[in-house]
Amino acid sequence: MLKRISAHLLERGISTFPNRLCKNDGLFIIHPSVSQALADSRPVVALESTIITHGMPYPHNLSTAQEVEAIVRAEGATPATVGVIHGRVHVGLSSKELDYLARSKTSLKVSRRDLPFAISKGLCGGSTVSGTMIAAHKAGIPVFVTGGIGGVHRGGEKSLDISADLTELGRTPIAVICAGVKSILDIGRTLEFLETQGVCVATYGMSNNFPAFFSPQSGFASPYHVNDAKDAAELIAGTLSLGLQSGLLLAVPIPDEHAAVGQEIERAIQVAVAEASSKGITGKDVTPFILQKVNELTKGKSLQANIALIHNNAKVGSQIACALSDCMRKKGTPAAVQLKEIENVSDPKSNIVVIGGINVDFIAKGKTEKLVFGQTNPGSVCQSFGGVGRNIADSLCRMGQTPLFISAIGTDSHSNAVLNYCKHMDIGAVARLQDQSTATYCAVITENGELSLGLGDMDIHQQITVHYVSQFDKQISSASLVCLDGNIPVSTIDYVCYYAKKKLVPVWYEPTDSDKACKPFLSESWKSLTYISPNLAELCTMNKTLGLPSPTVLPSSLEEIVSCALTLSRPLLEHLHCVVVTLGAMGVLLCGEHDKGSVNLQLKRKEKRGRLCAAHYPALPVTPEEIVNVSGAGDSLASGIMNGILLGRDTHSCVRMGLLAARMSMASPHPIAPTVTSGSVDPDKVSSQIWPLPTFTWMEE
């Protein structure tokens, strides 16, 4: 049992095990224009698509969607229309995809409730307010523009017919820009429900009158109002910096020149509501029926007013998004209390930049084979300092490299302990964030080494933002290698990949776990990577994210594992230089271009591309009695190989450095053994009798 668990932990390390959903696990596709804008820290505006699929007839729906996107672009932001196409949530749609949704007569109306079904069945649909909020938040877009939100239906105190938009606003930190609540709803109860959900509501403009979609006044007041885009941006920035898990509603009144028809539309709404009730129309079918009926009764005036307010919302929302972008640039990372200038925090001559997480780990090991929950079990508890990024930077530093480590910690008691332990490293780029908790991980394992329970608080890793990392552009551009771990946000990964490619800097991606392996592959960013170091499960996730075939059940024998890894690596090598597949107790598999009897790790420009091959290196022998802590073994392996690359060593030496570092760390109570040095991992200074020979497989004839 110990050997099996140790092999599993060697592949990834227990300090990276928190059971957390990936921002996008292959089901969310970010359009390249949106991904690039986020990477460049440019403003992006999310847009819903139910207005395309259910709000207006064709071709008005298509032309309105195109006009809204054009308005967003004209104001200096990037539009990101969200829609579900063949079971995948798209954040940003192409012109063909917009047209496809506009013409579709079978599209679903996709809210939070409907997402699992639409995805499992491979269906198409228009995203509602709640569905769009989910997608926008996962993509890292803070501003979302729509027409109007749903609310408490009239008679909702009896029917309990309450839109999912309201509960989504209470659980997803997105700023929603709209024209208020549709007048077919119970506006007073809707505002009360939003208050219960903890949603900040403000009217845009000089008045706090809460608008009713077609009318600038509903008879109710917002708790607050913001005068202009700058005020709105500061309110949003303040909300986000607090780390609240609730949204913000900004209600924009319809322009005066189109509000005159409001009373006529309101009368038509009353007639349509009565007809819907008499015909027994309920649920999600109510709004489309009423809007169509009102359009008929007003002879198109309601449609014109609807389009006008949507255009206005898009204009105002884009201005707010641009102001928010400026605000964040001026103020810096939210809640930061230690954001020093680049020249003051680190040596610009760092030869490698590592961007990733830093954790305080608590390892609780029982003294019995099985642990009994609900009572105190005998055992021992030890504290160590981990995190994939930290481990890699620590190991590289001990091997004689000069890595710059970019990360974030809180201002709690753990942060001082972390900084004291890492004082041998360059930690000048580790931001200390006020009112934030340093990442912690607790693993409970049995006497035999089996993981019984793991708990992790890793929220602070999301504060390693594009804005913060971009302050170190100078170091990144001059580095020999940049290493990213999968804990950092997707937008940060996209930015570093884009910037490093522009500066011709190689990038190593360490995915950390299967959930996070997908992050660079959600866009074109993965094509800018040079090295990746996944285990087999993470390699499957990468292929699955790209829509490529991958096995549902992982093989167990070495021969089958190598064959599977080769198949999965082959399409990635169209753009990547080398795929380093970690196999735990079975060693490591290098996949890439053949050179001098092995896979070429060094970046050498050649006129002619060599044949693709794979080289399997068995792990160094280790007994169960020698294993003390396996949490940093995989990170030691990766950093050892990186060290060899930076030293210009041949592939055999690079891999042996990694295997030596991994074995040393497994024998230490710390994730990275303090005994790791440039000399202790030098294969030329270690007996050659322990070195296993690699076996080769050709990937192409």
Side-chain angles (χ1 to χ4, degrees):
M1 177 65 75
L2 178 60
K3 182 177 180 181
R4 175 163 54 87
I5 296 301
S6 296
H8 174 59
L9 296 177
L10 173 57
E11 294 178 27
R12 192 49 52 236
I14 58 176
S15 65
T16 61
F17 274 8
N19 184 18
R20 208 174 274 279
L21 181 68
C22 176
K23 267 182 172 276
N24 297 299
D25 59 0
L27 300 174
F28 288 79
I29 308 301
I30 303 177
H31 191 275
S33 64
V34 176
S35 178
Q36 195 61 69
L38 292 171
D40 292 342
S41 299
R42 291 184 281 115
V44 178
V45 173
L47 303 167
E48 63 154 286
S49 55
T50 49
I51 192 172
I52 303 172
T53 58
H54 294 79
M56 296 179 184
Y58 184 84
H60 296 291
N61 55 353
L62 178 61
S63 60
T64 299
Q66 293 170 334
E67 290 163 3
V68 168
E69 288 198 346
I71 290 170
V72 173
R73 292 189 182 96
E75 293 295 331
T78 298
T81 303
V82 176
V84 180
I85 299 178
H86 303 310
R88 289 193 170 192
V89 181
H90 289 248
V91 182
L93 299 175
S94 67
S95 57
K96 289 184 178 180
E97 290 165 341
L98 276 175
D99 184 75
Y100 178 80
L101 284 181
R103 293 177 182 270
S104 175
K105 296 182 179 180
T106 59
S107 293
L108 291 178
K109 197 173 184 181
V110 184
S111 182
R112 172 183 280 267
R113 176 197 66 178
D114 312 294
L115 271 171
F117 183 79
I119 288 171
S120 66
K121 297 297 183 181
L123 302 177
C124 298
S127 61
T128 65
V129 169
S130 66
T132 306
M133 288 178 69
I134 292 169
H137 179 54
K138 285 181 179 291
I141 303 171
V143 176
F144 161 42
V145 168
T146 184
I149 65 166
V152 179
H153 282 253
R154 299 183 183 187
E157 70 277 11
K158 297 179 180 179
S159 66
L160 297 182
D161 192 349
I162 301 172
S163 172
D165 298 351
L166 305 187
T167 50
E168 200 63 51
L169 275 162
R171 68 173 88 177
T172 304
I174 290 287
V176 179
I177 317 297
C178 69
V181 178
K182 298 181 180 71
S183 54
I184 61 176
L185 304 171
D186 189 325
I187 297 176
R189 284 191 170 89
T190 297
L191 289 172
E192 288 289 345
F193 194 89
L194 286 170
E195 180 182 357
T196 302
Q197 294 292 308
V199 179
C200 180
V201 178
T203 297
Y204 185 86
M206 301 303 294
S207 169
N208 67 342
N209 289 326
F210 187 79
F213 203 67
F214 290 119
S215 173
Q217 297 184 9
S218 65
F220 297 91
S222 295
Y224 311 103
H225 74 93
V226 291
N227 296 325
D228 50 28
K230 182 180 179 182
D231 277 357
E234 291 178 347
L235 176 60
I236 296 170
T239 303
L240 296 176
S241 67
L242 287 170
L244 302 177
Q245 296 305 305
S246 55
L248 169 68
L249 184 67
L250 289 176
V252 182
I254 189 173
D256 292 337
E257 61 269 27
H258 297 284
V261 297
Q263 291 184 351
E264 180 182 348
I265 295 174
E266 182 60 32
R267 287 192 295 269
I269 288 174
Q270 299 297 334
V271 173
V273 168
E275 185 173 337
S277 178
S278 65
K279 290 184 175 180
I281 298 173
T282 59
K284 63 181 182 181
D285 298 324
V286 172
T287 299
F289 172 82
I290 291 177
L291 292 178
Q292 182 178 356
K293 190 65 179 178
V294 169
N295 187 51
E296 294 174 3
L297 294 173
T298 60
K299 298 180 180 179
K301 291 181 180 178
S302 65
L303 179 59
Q304 295 172 7
N306 194 2
I307 293 174
L309 69 86
I310 291 170
H311 285 181
N312 186 60
N313 290 352
K315 180 178 180 180
V316 172
S318 300
Q319 292 171 350
I320 292 173
C322 292
L324 177 62
S325 181
D326 292 339
C327 178
M328 300 301 283
R329 278 196 294 268
K330 292 177 182 178
K331 290 187 176 182
T333 303
V337 296
Q338 185 181 356
L339 294 178
K340 303 178 182 178
E341 293 298 324
I342 296 174
E343 290 75 15
N344 296 330
V345 299
S346 58
D347 181 3
K349 297 180 181 179
S350 298
N351 65 333
I352 180 171
V353 175
V354 180
I355 308 173
I358 183 169
N359 307 335
V360 179
D361 294 339
F362 297 91
I363 311 300
K365 185 176 182 180
K367 293 184 177 180
T368 56
E369 184 175 346
K370 291 185 178 180
L371 299 177
V372 181
F373 286 89
Q375 70 178 45
T376 301
N377 293 267
S380 61
V381 179
C382 66
Q383 176 184 341
S384 60
F385 302 97
V388 173
R390 194 218 69 86
N391 288 347
I392 291 174
D394 185 356
S395 184
L396 285 167
C397 184
R398 295 181 188 279
M399 293 179 195
Q401 301 295 336
T402 56
L404 169 66
F405 179 44
I406 302 175
S407 190
I409 58 176
T411 52
D412 49 13
S413 58
H414 293 313
S415 63
N416 291 328
V418 167
L419 294 177
N420 183 62
Y421 183 80
C422 299
K423 59 187 178 183
H424 62 288
M425 301 163 50
D426 182 353
I427 54 175
V430 176
R432 299 190 68 181
L433 307 181
Q434 189 176 15
D435 300 325
Q436 295 280 339
S437 299
T438 302
T440 53
Y441 178 74
C442 178
V444 180
I445 59 178
T446 65
E447 183 183 32
N448 292 334
E450 183 175 356
L451 180 68
S452 179
L453 178 67
L455 295 173
D457 177 6
M458 308 292 178
D459 290 344
I460 197 170
H461 294 157
Q462 300 310 305
Q463 298 295 334
I464 308 174
T465 62
V466 171
H467 174 74
Y468 184 61
V469 171
S470 65
Q471 297 182 67
F472 304 95
D473 282 350
K474 182 177 179 181
Q475 285 89 335
I476 293 173
S477 64
S478 62
S480 300
L481 181 68
V482 173
C483 177
L484 307 175
D485 88 22
N487 290 303
I488 63 179
V490 173
S491 55
T492 304
I493 292 173
D494 289 343
Y495 171 76
V496 175
C497 287
Y498 165 75
Y499 186 76
K501 181 179 181 180
K502 185 168 70 171
K503 298 297 183 179
L504 302 178
V505 178
V507 178
W508 182 300
Y509 181 62
E510 165 52 54
T512 73
D513 62 38
S514 293
D515 285 339
K516 301 179 181 72
C518 64
K519 290 185 176 181
F521 296 84
L522 296 166
S523 65
E524 297 294 298
S525 294
W526 74 276
K527 296 180 180 179
S528 301
L529 300 175
T530 313
Y531 308 94
I532 56 174
S533 48
N535 60 27
L536 193 59
E538 293 160 355
L539 190 55
C540 285
T541 297
M542 294 171 177
N543 276 254
K544 191 180 299 181
T545 304
L546 294 175
L548 300 173
S550 58
T552 54
V553 179
L554 296 181
S556 55
S557 70
L558 178 59
E559 183 178 356
E560 292 174 333
I561 289 173
V562 170
S563 177
C564 179
L566 293 180
T567 302
L568 294 171
S569 298
R570 180 64 185 85
L572 304 185
L573 290 170
E574 292 292 329
H575 297 278
L576 303 180
H577 180 67
C578 185
V579 178
V580 180
V581 188
T582 57
L583 304 177
M586 294 183 181
V588 61
L589 182 73
L590 303 187
C591 302
E593 182 182 349
H594 180 261
D595 182 54
K596 297 180 180 179
S598 186
V599 173
N600 177 28
L601 280 174
Q602 298 294 341
L603 291 172
K604 300 176 182 178
R605 296 186 178 181
K606 293 184 177 181
E607 296 181 1
K608 186 177 181 181
R609 180 185 173 96
R611 297 168 66 191
L612 294 180
C613 71
H616 173 244
Y617 289 81
L620 298 180
V622 59
T623 64
E625 292 74 21
E626 293 178 297
I627 299 175
V628 178
N629 182 359
V630 297
S631 64
D635 304 328
S636 298
L637 173 68
S639 58
I641 296 175
M642 291 182 211
N643 180 54
I645 293 173
L646 293 169
L647 293 174
R649 302 290 292 268
D650 62 87
T651 299
H652 297 321
S653 296
C654 291
V655 176
R656 288 165 180 168
M657 284 182 178
L659 293 173
L660 273 172
R663 191 176 68 168
M664 293 177 68
S665 290
M666 282 194 294
S668 168
H670 303 283
I672 303 300
T675 54
V676 170
T677 64
S678 58
S680 65
V681 298
D682 189 342
D684 294 339
K685 298 180 181 180
V686 180
S687 174
S688 61
Q689 295 180 357
I690 70 171
W691 295 125
L693 296 175
T695 56
F696 286 87
T697 303
W698 295 102
M699 299 177 67
E700 58 183 14
E701 298 300 330

